[in-house]
Amino acid sequence: QVHLVESGGGLVQAGGSLRLSCSAVGIVFRANDMGWYRQTPRKQRELVAVITSGGSTNIADSVKGRFTVSRDNAKNTVYLQMNSLIPEDTAVYYCYARAAYRGYDLWGQGTQVTVSS
């Protein structure tokens, strides 16, 4: 069975930190580019961070300097470390996996992050 499972969301005060995890099952994890999107009711889906299969990263300007993305191929897991959180970071965060060999993206179920002011 192929799927992604996110964890680590929750409620945090502004200025706090959270670390999201996304564990992959049933894929060749090291061959996948992994990323995080977020979506709020008011905005379109926003790409937050990407880490390629080779370890290169790309972080959205809106979170640059506060968020980092990393991966542990031995654990089939990608992480999103979120520091200095602000209320505007409140969203559902989705993990995805992309690989040419598969031909389609995999998505997690999403995890809610709520930042209170």
Side-chain angles (χ1 to χ4, degrees), residues 31-115:
N32 281 256
D33 295 344
M34 303 296 296
W36 293 91
Y37 276 87
R38 66 185 181 184
Q39 187 159 17
T40 68
R42 297 189 188 93
K43 293 184 179 181
Q44 290 184 342
R45 189 177 58 180
E46 177 186 19
L47 179 62
V48 176
V50 176
I51 182 165
T52 69
S53 59
S56 299
T57 62
N58 189 22
I59 307 294
D61 288 342
S62 59
V63 302
K64 196 167 290 183
R66 300 188 296 119
F67 290 14
T68 58
V69 61
S70 61
R71 63 190 296 160
D72 185 337
N73 289 342
K75 295 182 178 180
N76 287 2
T77 300
V78 61
Y79 304 98
L80 183 68
Q81 178 67 45
M82 306 185 294
N83 299 327
S84 302
L85 285 160
I86 59 178
E88 289 75 16
D89 295 320
T90 296
V92 178
Y93 285 72
Y94 296 91
C95 168
Y96 78 90
R98 177 171 296 164
Y101 77 84
R102 185 170 52 251
Y104 61 90
D105 291 347
L106 281 175
W107 291 90
Q109 80 284 2
T111 185
Q112 176 71 48
V113 171
T114 302
V115 184

